[in-house]
Amino acid sequence: MSRTAVVVGSSVAGVRTAQALAAGGFDGRVLVIGAERTEPYDKPPLSKHFLTGVWDASRLALLNGGRADERVELRLGVAAEHLDVAGKQLRLADGTRVPYDVCVIATGASARPSPWAARDGIHVLRTVQDSAALRRDLLRGGEVVVVGGGFVGAEVAAAASGLGCPVTVVDPLVDPMARVLGPRVGPLLTGIHERHGVRTRFGTGVVAIEGTSGGLRVILDDGSVLAASTVVVGIGAVPNDGWLRSSGLDIADGVICDEYCRVQGTRDVFAAGDVARWPHPRHGEHVRGEHWTNAVEQAACVARNIVHQGDPVPYRPVEYVWSDQYDWKIQIAGSPALMSGHHVIGDLTGDRPRAAVAYTDTTGRLGAALTLNWPRALVACRRLLAAAAEFTQAITELDLLADARPTGRR
Amino acid sequence: MPILRADHGACQGYANCVAGASDVYDIDDDGVVVLLKERVPEEERQRVEEAARSCPVSALTVEGG
């Protein structure tokens, strides 16, 4: 009898898991259940090309009709409400019961809601509808205040500025990028906003937001007030794990998995993407990844471990994040915040620097890397990280790459 | 044999393809994908398709066969 794999969540992790199952030898049905009505779409452009209007919605589709895609069944617009692990079935919001042989939890994450309320005009950014609504307000013009200086906040600031809006970014941390890049390298990137004409109020928290769309007032903890037509709150994401509360599974800011991404205490339930928390050997603890590449790589690992049940492989990725801000391409491999030392290759100053920062820890190996506008160096760093290269060897290779590259281009 | 295609205009230099299949994909000095092969044997399809699916801007396709 044919088996059924049910993927809960039409996130990139969910869709990529389904595609990898269909392409990778899973011989039964592959069904994706999605709470959103919209055809599965990709999220990174929502703070970049889609928000600025360079791309339309057709560029966001995650399923493109390839050979594997034809085997993926979709059931959209209905959320899963309960997972019955012992009975191997799901209950959906419309009361339907869906039996499974293997289940993959890929319900993703939601934008952390704004703790400040105004009648309207405060945006968060997570869905395609969020992005379209924000774009409408940005096109209206006027001052924009972005609360949160992380990646999403920085990308929105860049996009809004590109659309001609005067922008101020507010964050309670003096140096928001230090969270990711460490205390010594963080400030180099934190300055990107001023370099592009966007004001920052870092080290300042928001107390309240008053007013209505087009006439908002953002009250800061130093007593000052910023007038804004539009406010965007980008203060992180929370995993969509609430629907699993009734399942008896171990939930702690994500669903707890083993090193193979199998949900702890189950045989036939896996998790992938923003909602999965698994023991990462490089971190020495359970972690949750909120990045696109993690979702895709974890999806591939889960699909592989489902198809090759008797021979599972542990999931131990080299993290990779990118961010496009203004005309800068920022790429990060590994976890710089965990590192203790670094070395700069190239020059980090200038309008559009091409440079890399190699990080190391006490092991003497390359542990993480940041590249600015230099994808080839990023490729080299990811390869060196995967090979656990010596730090000195990594620097030598990057120096050679810097010397080898043609001069006078861009 | 599966045929590889790349949309060089769409490529943003994210380089997940190179991490997935460095014998097939590379990145040039301007951060644009380079196809090192135009076709791969059928038995390579699954691995190369997985690398293509890891492109955040769907610039890569594996056709035919």
Side-chain angles (χ1 to χ4, degrees), chain A residues 16 19-20 23-24 42 48-49 55 59 61 64 67-68 292-293 296 300 320 322 324 329 331 354 375-376 378-379 382 405-406 409-410, chain B residues 7 9-10 12-19 26-32 42 45-46 49-50 52-58 62 64-65:
Chain A
R16 289 291 187 265
Q19 289 174 309
D42 211 8
K48 309 179 180 79
H49 300 95
W55 286 9
R59 293 287 296 269
N64 298 309
R67 284 170 29 141
W292 194 93
T293 302
V296 171
Y320 167 51
W322 74 85
D324 299 324
K329 189 169 292 300
Q331 295 172 302
R354 269 201 167 186
R376 276 201 94 163
L378 182 275
V379 168
R382 285 177 83 179
R405 102 188 164 224
R409 300 173 77 172
R410 266 206 279 208
Chain B
D7 180 344
Q12 300 286 315
Y14 296 136
N16 277 346
C17 56
V18 188
D26 198 5
I27 290 281
D28 71 14
D29 278 315
D30 291 324
V32 177
E42 185 61 38
R45 177 193 289 275
Q46 192 184 328
E49 278 185 345
E50 189 174 310
R53 273 198 305 273
S54 75
C55 174
V57 289
S58 303
V62 180

Side-chain angles (χ1 to χ4, degrees), chain A residues 256-312:
Chain A
I256 306 296
C257 301
D258 67 12
E259 60 182 327
Y260 307 111
C261 305
R262 189 193 308 261
V263 174
Q264 199 161 285
T266 72
R267 291 185 56 210
D268 307 302
V269 183
F270 292 77
D274 295 13
V275 77
R277 184 173 284 279
W278 87 102
H280 194 307
R282 268 185 257 269
H283 292 253
E285 59 180 349
H286 284 69
V287 298
R288 208 162 56 72
E290 288 189 345
H291 307 303
W292 194 93
T293 302
N294 177 64
V296 171
E297 292 183 348
Q298 202 164 17
C301 183
V302 163
R304 194 211 162 278
N305 287 347
I306 289 170
V307 174
H308 302 276
Q309 285 178 76
D311 177 30

Side-chain angles (χ1 to χ4, degrees), chain B residues 33-52:
Chain B
V33 66
V34 178
L35 291 179
L36 302 177
K37 296 175 183 171
E38 291 177 353
R39 291 161 180 271
V40 291
E42 185 61 38
E43 57 267 28
E44 297 283 313
R45 177 193 289 275
Q46 192 184 328
R47 183 177 65 89
V48 176
E49 278 185 345
E50 189 174 310

Side-chain angles (χ1 to χ4, degrees), chain A residues 214-403:
Chain A
L216 292 159
R217 298 181 343 120
V218 182
I219 298 154
L220 304 182
D221 62 11
D222 62 359
S224 59
V225 178
L226 301 173
S229 290
T230 302
V231 173
V232 188
V233 176
I235 53 171
V238 287
N240 295 323
D241 56 11
W243 70 282
L244 291 166
R245 255 180 239 130
S246 60
S247 67
L249 296 176
D250 193 1
I251 308 297
D253 186 34
V255 57
I256 306 296
C257 301
D258 67 12
E259 60 182 327
Y260 307 111
C261 305
R262 189 193 308 261
V263 174
Q264 199 161 285
T266 72
R267 291 185 56 210
D268 307 302
V269 183
F270 292 77
D274 295 13
V275 77
R277 184 173 284 279
W278 87 102
H280 194 307
R282 268 185 257 269
H283 292 253
E285 59 180 349
H286 284 69
V287 298
R288 208 162 56 72
E290 288 189 345
H291 307 303
W292 194 93
T293 302
N294 177 64
V296 171
E297 292 183 348
Q298 202 164 17
C301 183
V302 163
R304 194 211 162 278
N305 287 347
I306 289 170
V307 174
H308 302 276
Q309 285 178 76
D311 177 30
V313 294
Y315 181 56
R316 43 180 65 154
V318 174
E319 294 92 334
Y320 167 51
V321 194
W322 74 85
S323 182
D324 299 324
Q325 300 173 23
Y326 310 96
D327 58 345
W328 286 27
K329 189 169 292 300
I330 299 159
Q331 295 172 302
I332 300 164
S335 300
L338 299 177
M339 298 294 126
S340 52
H342 73 272
H343 179 84
V344 177
I345 299 99
D347 183 0
L348 290 166
T349 60
D351 285 346
R352 193 167 186 275
R354 269 201 167 186
V357 180
Y359 292 81
T360 190
D361 57 16
T362 51
T363 65
R365 299 189 181 281
L366 178 69
L370 158 73
T371 65
L372 297 181
N373 307 313
W374 194 9
R376 276 201 94 163
L378 182 275
V379 168
C381 289
R382 285 177 83 179
R383 175 173 44 77
L384 291 162
L385 282 164
E390 297 284 336
F391 188 51
T392 50
Q393 180 208 337
I395 291 169
T396 305
E397 276 206 33
L398 290 168
D399 279 338
L400 282 171
L401 196 59
D403 291 342

Side-chain angles (χ1 to χ4, degrees), chain A residues 121-123 134 137-138 140-146 213-216 228-232:
Chain A
I122 300 182
H123 295 261
L134 174 57
D137 278 4
L138 294 179
R140 188 182 57 187
E143 292 272 352
V144 175
V145 171
V146 177
S213 181
L216 292 159
S229 290
T230 302
V231 173
V232 188

